[in-house]
Amino acid sequence: MAVPGRLGSNTGLMDMPETLKKIACFGEAMIELSLGAAEGKAGVGYAGDTLNTAIYLRRLLPADHEVEFVSAVGTDPLSDRMLDFISGEQVGVSHMRRHPERIPGLYAITTDESGERSFTYWRDSSAARTLFADDGGETFAALSEFDLVYYSAITLAILSPAQRAALFDWIDGYRAAGGKVAFDSNYRPKLWEDVATAQRDVETAWRKCDVAFPSVDDEMELFGDADSEAVMRRLEGYGVPFGALKRGGEGPLPIGAPLPEAQTYRMVEKVVDTTAAGDSFVGGFLSQYAQGADIGKALMAGHDCAARVITCPGAIVPKDIWNAES
């Protein structure tokens, strides 16, 4: 088992930032179909890994913080409804691009008796794939306004090789100017050209981030690591400075800072749907990180948020249920 907090050589006291008031999450938002048991019945929603994180982050942050979702959608009615939904969550959409010809991607969820989910996707020509294409650098300029930006390996996978290279170049300048970058693994093999490309680009992303959110299963699948200890060793070799290794029900391990005291993470008795478990963990963690809390509070907030989310179907817990439980 990995030793908590052994990544990095610091004590963790310098890792937590001053309050970060402006946060942008960028990537792909999709139309979500939740398939029920009855034939011909499906719930329609809007979700996507970085959007899910943005929504839970917004729900958990004080009102004086700003959370923006940055992506590209179409000019169709479903895109309009998606933007209305995001705005209804008090997540900003002022930097969303509207593609004149493309529309959002779509995915369908089915879950088994234990709450594990499987997905079917229709996203090859989604508007989000044009996020950084042919906009004269407008999107990068918009992201530069924020104190922290968050993205994932899904964001990388939907971009062209040229767009990925431009993103990495922009990240170098953004971090040099004091911006913070958070990155989440979220490896989806079918989105990538091949495993070697995914390994190269995800490794690059780990090396260029300030806050890391690797999922142990994703990292083991992509890089062939034997266990969480091997994942931690590899990330240490990359120089990953801070973050959390997500391990589902086992509870997270801290990266880059020791825990102030031992923590016990609550177990969920009945898992309904694990969709967005990792995304909501990131939202909870970042809600504390952005306020300068220590890593123990950030880990607990991430785990508690994910524990709430997996007791409800779909990626986004309805606001009435969320507010009733708060």
Side-chain angles (χ1 to χ4, degrees):
M1 179 177 175
V3 178
R6 75 185 182 112
L7 282 183
S9 59
N10 50 60
T11 65
L13 296 178
M14 298 301 292
D15 285 307
M16 302 309 289
E18 297 181 1
T19 301
L20 303 172
K21 289 293 184 73
K22 299 184 64 176
I23 302 171
C25 303
F26 64 95
E28 183 175 28
M30 304 180 71
I31 301 161
E32 176 190 80
L33 297 181
S34 298
L35 304 180
E39 209 49 52
K41 300 290 185 180
V44 179
Y46 307 97
D49 63 339
T50 54
L51 173 60
N52 303 338
T53 295
I55 289 172
Y56 291 117
L57 178 58
R58 173 65 278 168
R59 290 183 181 183
L60 293 168
L61 278 173
D64 62 346
H65 287 66
E66 176 184 342
V67 179
E68 187 90 7
F69 184 64
V70 179
S71 187
V73 294
T75 58
D76 56 285
L78 279 174
S79 292
D80 292 339
R81 291 187 180 190
M82 178 184 288
L83 293 181
D84 288 343
F85 168 76
I86 298 171
S87 297
E89 290 286 347
Q90 285 73 56
V91 173
V93 294
S94 61
H95 298 301
M96 295 285 284
R97 297 184 65 202
R98 306 296 298 265
H99 195 282
E101 298 173 353
R102 299 197 183 199
I103 60 176
L106 179 148
Y107 72 101
I109 302 174
T110 55
T111 54
D112 62 22
E113 293 181 354
S114 65
E116 284 301 320
R117 76 280 196 216
S118 59
F119 301 97
T120 304
Y121 292 99
W122 298 266
R123 72 197 308 178
D124 290 347
S125 299
S126 70
R129 290 179 176 269
T130 69
L131 178 57
F132 300 117
D134 303 323
D135 70 349
E138 290 180 9
T139 305
F140 288 136
L143 290 172
S144 296
E145 301 173 7
F146 293 88
D147 302 317
L148 180 145
V149 298
Y150 163 75
Y151 73 113
S152 75
I154 291 178
T155 309
L156 282 180
I158 66 170
L159 300 177
S160 69
Q163 289 172 312
R164 290 177 207 153
L167 174 60
F168 288 142
D169 286 344
W170 173 81
I171 285 174
D172 288 340
Y174 174 76
R175 295 179 73 205
K180 298 289 186 181
V181 174
F183 180 71
D184 192 352
S185 50
N186 281 359
Y187 173 56
R188 302 293 183 268
K190 291 182 179 180
L191 291 179
W192 289 91
E193 302 93 320
D194 51 64
V195 173
T197 301
Q199 289 174 333
R200 182 196 66 207
D201 289 346
V202 171
E203 176 182 337
T204 299
W206 290 134
R207 293 180 181 275
K208 293 177 181 286
C209 76
D210 301 285
V211 190
F213 296 106
S215 292
V216 66
D217 292 343
D218 285 347
E219 294 298 297
M220 290 170 64
E221 180 180 4
L222 177 56
F223 292 98
D225 299 319
D227 50 29
S228 61
E229 178 72 18
V231 173
M232 294 285 268
R233 283 198 302 269
R234 179 170 49 78
L235 294 172
E236 182 178 35
Y238 296 163
V240 172
F242 191 78
L245 178 64
K246 296 179 290 179
R247 303 186 303 161
E250 293 184 73
L253 289 177
I255 294 174
L259 284 173
E261 58 185 19
Q263 298 190 151
T264 300
Y265 302 104
R266 68 185 177 100
M267 298 295 292
V268 176
E269 292 185 5
K270 181 173 177 54
V271 176
V272 174
D273 187 350
T274 57
T275 304
D279 310 331
S280 57
F281 175 91
V282 175
F285 187 105
L286 287 178
S287 73
Q288 292 297 307
Y289 176 82
Q291 297 179 76
D294 66 46
I295 195 167
K297 291 181 179 178
L299 290 169
M300 189 63 72
H303 183 84
D304 285 347
C305 186
R308 294 177 67 181
V309 169
I310 63 177
T311 63
C312 289
I316 305 300
V317 177
K319 283 192 289 186
D320 57 343
I321 297 175
W322 180 271
N323 292 335
E325 294 177 349
S326 297

